[in-house]
Amino acid sequence: MIRLGRWLGYGLLAILVLLALFLGAGGAINWNQEPPYELVQSWGKKGEGPAEFDSPTGIAVTAEEVFIADARNSRIQVLDKKGKFLRDFGAENLGRPMNITIANDKLYVPDYLNDVVHVFTLAGEHERAIEAEDGLDSPGGVAVRADGTLLIADSYGQRIVHITPDGEVLESWGGAGRGPGEFSYPADVALAPDGGFYVADGYNDRVQQFGPDGTFIRKWGGPFGMNIFGPFRGWFTTATSIDVAPDGTVFVADFYNDRIQKFTAEGDFLTAFGTASEGPGHSEMAVAIDAEGRVWTTHFAGHQVEVWRPAD
């Protein structure tokens, strides 16, 4: 009986895997897959000089400039959109900058090693370091709501924490696990147009979506978001960054699969693209979308910034 139960369990898992291969990421058949994006430009190499990087982990864009979290150089670099170096800052403040975001003309930088979120002006002046009153544990990403409060992917804290700019904890969601609303080293968080949010649930190899009040809505990645990784469409092998485009579509860095995946707001797979690593390590670590619909990524192993656009 024990052996029979085990085989039945394997059979059920096989059925789930086969279903996931034929179903779109959100669980509905999706026949409207888009063509992949095409690489327009890339620049950078490993180093410590201007427009050189050491393991870039985050990226954010404005109308004119690109901000890169140059992680192991412990700094932020700013380039124009043609790759020309403009300035760098933060070396005296930062330990390991991660997924950065721009809001209210400020740059918010989660510091993985120092357990704070730094706030800089876009010119590079350090304004303050925000700490949660109950402490952060290796924050990986941040989103800023219209009221100025922060949603932080507190990676080793296994939660998303909602705090004021003074660090007061308003709400905290999560806990370690694979169930709905639970996390395994959440890496990033991005706002939805309705005030809700999406989480790149790192080692759970999935995305989770929540309403404005933190109510769980859905999860996707692998068979029904069950923490089964793989290279298939809509599956992940470590989700490290997430951004929402102006039209509401969702872009996710699928790190160990060396790609960016694009989804509808409801999690239906649309397309995937990326640059494979030419050496050891992996590529697409962070993603940001600009107002023109171009996709900006960091190639982690190649120590580069990449620019993508929809194929004609």
Side-chain angles (χ1 to χ4, degrees):
M1 292 299 293
I2 294 174
R3 183 175 296 176
L4 177 61
R6 180 179 297 173
W7 281 111
L8 287 173
Y10 289 157
L12 177 60
L13 177 59
I15 291 170
L16 290 174
V17 171
L18 289 172
L19 282 172
L21 289 174
F22 286 100
L23 295 180
I29 294 177
N30 174 21
W31 302 112
N32 299 312
Q33 181 176 345
E34 297 179 353
Y37 282 46
E38 59 186 11
L39 183 64
V40 176
Q41 189 176 7
S42 63
W43 58 80
K45 63 180 181 179
K46 187 173 184 178
E48 300 177 355
E52 297 176 345
F53 307 100
D54 191 349
S55 308
T57 51
I59 192 163
V61 293
T62 67
E64 304 293 338
E65 296 181 332
V66 185
F67 294 73
I68 302 100
D70 187 7
R72 291 197 168 97
N73 283 326
S74 300
R75 64 182 177 180
I76 302 297
Q77 289 202 65
V78 186
L79 312 180
D80 71 14
K81 287 193 169 180
K82 295 183 179 180
K84 178 183 177 182
F85 173 80
L86 299 176
R87 61 189 177 276
D88 62 44
F89 56 87
E92 61 277 9
N93 307 109
L94 297 173
R96 183 72 56 81
M98 297 299 288
N99 282 300
I100 57 179
T101 195
I102 294 171
N104 305 318
D105 293 322
K106 307 291 183 185
L107 180 72
Y108 292 79
V109 184
D111 191 330
Y112 189 82
L113 294 182
N114 291 327
D115 298 328
V116 299
V117 175
H118 296 280
V119 183
F120 294 88
T121 68
L122 298 187
E125 178 184 354
H126 186 260
E127 291 196 340
R128 65 188 184 278
I130 301 174
E131 302 180 54
E133 61 185 357
D134 61 354
L136 297 173
D137 194 352
S138 301
V142 61
V144 183
R145 286 182 159 170
D147 62 2
T149 60
L150 285 69
L151 295 170
I152 300 170
D154 193 20
S155 296
Y156 276 75
Q158 309 291 359
R159 64 176 181 166
I160 301 299
V161 58
H162 184 202
I163 68 173
T164 70
D166 296 324
E168 177 188 355
V169 174
L170 302 175
E171 189 63 76
S172 180
W173 304 280
R178 295 180 294 178
E182 296 177 333
F183 303 108
S184 182
Y185 302 96
D188 198 13
V189 58
L191 295 178
D194 67 354
F197 56 96
Y198 298 90
V199 177
D201 190 5
Y203 290 143
N204 269 334
D205 308 302
R206 65 186 181 184
V207 170
Q208 295 199 64
Q209 182 182 1
F210 300 86
D213 62 353
T215 301
F216 172 81
I217 296 176
R218 62 175 59 88
K219 53 187 172 72
W220 72 83
F224 311 106
M226 292 174 57
N227 186 217
I228 300 175
F229 62 85
F232 311 110
R233 72 173 198 174
W235 294 41
F236 302 102
T237 306
T238 308
T240 53
S241 179
I242 191 165
D243 197 21
V244 178
D247 65 0
T249 52
V250 180
F251 291 75
V252 186
D254 183 11
F255 181 58
Y256 285 100
N257 285 324
D258 298 319
R259 64 185 178 181
I260 304 296
Q261 295 199 66
K262 180 183 180 183
F263 301 88
T264 68
E266 294 76 30
D268 292 315
F269 175 84
L270 293 175
T271 191
F273 53 93
T275 303
S277 175
E278 295 181 357
H282 292 273
S283 59
E284 308 302 343
M285 180 73 169
V287 61
I289 320 302
D290 69 15
E292 289 76 40
R294 288 174 295 184
V295 179
W296 300 78
T297 66
T298 63
H299 190 301
F300 185 79
H303 313 283
Q304 292 184 321
V305 172
E306 298 176 330
V307 191
W308 305 80
R309 69 181 177 193
D312 295 331

